[in-house]
């Protein structure tokens, strides 16, 4: 059965096309910065937003029109796999991501959940072999079920800690089975409502123990993906431990996890933390901790995680500039953790939304190429920090100065020349490079 029967394979037609079901900027083989665009833009589809999100919100029931439902939950799960791979093949997406509960019903026991996952991942593997589409990352949903009301690895109940371990153990088995490149932890319930009843030290120690167990098990089964932590400051928890990139990196370093863990950063999570996306990417890059990204955007007028498809060319260009300066993301990629709006409820809207996101990031990449080739900002930065290239500045960088010698130097100065940073010029000039 064809689920997207009215959709042909999406092709690149250029900026002058009036066909909404075509790419204007995403041209897979176009060379940008020395390699094909598709190698820079390792796009992935998110199973949860693409296949299981139903358009409901706190004020309204499901509205999305989808043609894969059956009275039997397992048959629905099988239909979704067929539809998902048809969708990715037609849109030209080569990677995908999923939570365990996205792909298979949990059933009435842990064993039934394991069995359901085995059946569905057998089908997924068949489709992967047919299409060449690969698993970017998978993860365990340890935030929806009531058992995780007080956390998974940070829970106050040791039995729930054990259940979470069993869920991740199975997730790593599935990652090996499907050749996953990465494995993600997002701690939606790993946080607290009040410190009055919380032992934060114990909870964070236990989270670290949990992660180390995951690494040890991956080594045991001979499949060690890149482990990724995904920061988010709040929602659903009032305060989540992986608040932002800097906080999460501090946790990684505190518990000696830097050899195995990097970050999966999401644009909308940066917004919730009071940061820009490029800020989070830059922080991670500076600590060699940038592993993968979730491409979406939030609405600055709203205070929650709206997960909109990325269409802001300014924000996308600044994000791709950090990615390029990072040397890319491989084995990570660019996952569209994005959902169509409630009023975009037709099957075709899934395709149109992904085209918009892919074109936005392709356009951003071409803008980055113009920025890099012109070197305006690199030269500006070099000039701004030129005093640290020679003389006493160079000696500071080389750790050859101390407070005594620097104080002696300060007394020798008649005055200090201030130079403008020309902020308005810098921001205006950036617009000149946008494709």
């Amino acid at each position: 059965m064809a689920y997207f029967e009215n959709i042909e394979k999406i092709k690149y037609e250029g900026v002058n096309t009036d066909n909404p079901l075509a790419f204007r900027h995403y041209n897979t083989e176009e060379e940008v910065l020395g390699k094909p665009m598709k190698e820079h833009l390792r796009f992935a589809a998110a199973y949860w937003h693409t296949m299981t999100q139903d358009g409901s919100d706190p004020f309204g029931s499901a509205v999305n029109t989808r043609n894969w439902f059956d009275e039997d939950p397992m048959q629905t799960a099988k239909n979704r796999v067929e539809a998902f791979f048809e969708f990715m093949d037609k849109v030209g997406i080569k990677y995908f991501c999923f939570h365990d509960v996205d792909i298979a019903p949990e059933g009435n026991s842990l064993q039934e959940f394991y069995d359901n996952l085995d059946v569905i991942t057998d089908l997924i593997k068949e489709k992967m072999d047919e299409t060449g589409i690969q698993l970017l990352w998978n993860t365990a949903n340890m935030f929806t079920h009531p058992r995780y009301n007080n956390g998974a690895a940070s829970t106050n109940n040791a039995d729930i800690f054990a259940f979470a371990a069993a869920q991740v153990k199975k997730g790593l088995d599935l990652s090996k089975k499907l050749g996953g490149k990465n494995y993600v932890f997002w701690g939606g319930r790993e946080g607290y409502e009040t410190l009055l009843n919380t032992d934060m030290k114990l909870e964070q120690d236990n989270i670290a123990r949990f992660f180390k167990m995951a690494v040890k098990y991956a080594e045991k089964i001979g499949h060690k993906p890149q482990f990724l932590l995904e920061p988010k400051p709040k929602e659903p928890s009032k305060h989540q431990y992986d608040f932002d990139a800097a906080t999460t990196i501090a946790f990684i370093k505190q518990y000696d996890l830097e050899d195995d863990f990097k970050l999966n950063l999401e644009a909308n999570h940066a917004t919730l933390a009071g940061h820009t996306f490029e800020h989070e990417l830059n922080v991670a890059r500076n600590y060699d901790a940038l592993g993968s990204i979730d491409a979406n955007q939030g609405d600055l007028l709203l205070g929650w995680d709206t997960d909109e498809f990325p269409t802001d060319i300014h924000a996308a260009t600044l994000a791709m500039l950090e990615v390029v300066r990072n040397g890319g993301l491989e084995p990570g990629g660019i996952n569209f953790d994005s959902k169509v709006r409630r009023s975009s409820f037709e099957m075709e809207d899934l395709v149109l939304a992904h085209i918009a996101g892919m074109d936005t990031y392709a356009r951003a990449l071409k803008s980055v190429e113009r920025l890099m080739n012109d070197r305006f900002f690199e030269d500006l930065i070099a000039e701004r920090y030129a005093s640290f290239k020679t003389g006493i500045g160079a000696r500071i960088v080389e750790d050859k100065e101390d407070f005594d010698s620097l104080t002696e130097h300060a007394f020798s100065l008649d005055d200090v020349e201030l130079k403008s940073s020309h902020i308005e010029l810098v921001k205006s000039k950036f617009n000149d490079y946008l494709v």
Side-chain angles (χ1 to χ4, degrees), residues 182-199:
N182 308 269
Y183 190 89
V184 167
F185 291 96
W186 174 65
R189 303 287 179 188
E190 313 291 26
Y192 64 83
E193 295 297 320
T194 174
L195 285 174
L196 294 173
N197 66 349
T198 300
D199 186 339

Side-chain angles (χ1 to χ4, degrees), residues 72-74 77 100-101 103-117 145-147 163:
D72 176 10
M74 277 298 286
D100 48 8
V101 302
I103 63 171
E106 290 190 78
N108 296 313
S109 68
L110 182 60
Q111 185 60 57
E112 187 176 350
F113 189 28
Y114 271 29
D115 293 343
N116 290 344
L117 287 168
H145 195 283
R147 77 173 66 91
F163 203 105

